Amino acid sequence: MSGLLRISACAESGRRITFLLVKRGEPYNLLGPYLDCGRFLEAEAARPTRCLRIQGNQFMTFVTDHPVIVPNILRWIGIGLDSANSRILDLMEKKVENRVLRVLSTLYEKFGTPLLFTSQEISEIAGTTPESTLRTMGQLRDMGIITTQRGQIRIHDPAALKNIEFGSLKI
């Protein structure tokens, strides 16, 4: 209904991977009602947040009674799956700097500027250490691509984030 949620899949060890950031009007657990087994997900409010909760059985009844919404559900599931897959591939293949760049670029596309995230939050989303995130963001500041203040990141050249991702600029 309002706010910002960070959705993470969690392991028994306590490790987690953030795979979705949910803003107002976006669903955050469309798979739950369709799974026979539980999945340990964590929804953490990154800002003051109000959520609407629908019990799994009520949701299934609603979907059965209103099949016209199924394409929208599939679209949201696809977005979440694509996001999770991208994160996994990034962790396997990309250097830390490129993961931070993708996170900044993706957040900019979704939320605009300024981004109201701390470097700690960026590092959690990118799956890296705060030190690596700070080093990369320092390089981006030196290049004039971003400026930062406590809890805020201003993107001045969003196209440069994509250029860096594809190797045009050296970081």
Side-chain angles (χ1 to χ4, degrees), residues 79-137:
I79 289 169
L81 182 59
D82 184 57
S83 174
N85 286 337
S86 293
R87 297 269 298 115
I88 291 167
L89 290 171
D90 281 357
L91 289 170
M92 290 172 33
E93 296 179 345
K94 293 195 186 288
K95 295 183 345 186
V96 167
E97 294 86 356
N98 290 86
R99 295 195 321 249
V100 171
L101 293 172
R102 183 195 288 266
V103 166
L104 292 174
S105 179
T106 301
L107 292 175
Y108 174 81
E109 288 174 11
K110 187 165 186 169
F111 301 108
T113 194
L115 297 174
L116 303 177
F117 292 88
T118 65
S119 56
Q120 174 69 35
E121 291 170 322
I122 298 297
S123 66
E124 286 176 11
I125 297 168
T128 187
T129 64
E131 294 80 15
S132 295
T133 299
L134 288 170
R135 184 177 59 249
T136 300
M137 290 177 61

Side-chain angles (χ1 to χ4, degrees), residues 20-148:
L20 194 60
L21 291 172
V22 180
K23 62 183 184 178
R24 181 179 185 209
E26 296 178 342
Y28 57 94
N29 185 19
L30 286 175
L31 283 180
Y34 298 101
L35 298 175
D36 290 335
C37 61
R39 176 70 73 197
F40 184 54
L41 299 178
E42 179 180 81
E44 179 183 8
R47 296 187 191 141
T49 301
R50 289 183 52 211
C51 299
L52 175 65
R53 178 177 180 235
I54 301 172
Q55 296 279 355
N57 58 350
Q58 293 172 342
F59 179 77
M60 295 298 287
T61 301
F62 180 78
V63 171
T64 302
D65 293 344
H66 302 88
V68 71
I69 70 167
V70 171
N72 286 334
I73 292 171
L74 291 174
R75 185 173 68 81
W76 285 110
I77 290 171
I79 289 169
L81 182 59
D82 184 57
S83 174
N85 286 337
S86 293
R87 297 269 298 115
I88 291 167
L89 290 171
D90 281 357
L91 289 170
M92 290 172 33
E93 296 179 345
K94 293 195 186 288
K95 295 183 345 186
V96 167
E97 294 86 356
N98 290 86
R99 295 195 321 249
V100 171
L101 293 172
R102 183 195 288 266
V103 166
L104 292 174
S105 179
T106 301
L107 292 175
Y108 174 81
E109 288 174 11
K110 187 165 186 169
F111 301 108
T113 194
L115 297 174
L116 303 177
F117 292 88
T118 65
S119 56
Q120 174 69 35
E121 291 170 322
I122 298 297
S123 66
E124 286 176 11
I125 297 168
T128 187
T129 64
E131 294 80 15
S132 295
T133 299
L134 288 170
R135 184 177 59 249
T136 300
M137 290 177 61
Q139 291 170 327
L140 294 172
R141 271 193 310 273
D142 292 345
M143 297 165 75
I145 295 171
I146 67 169
T147 54
T148 59

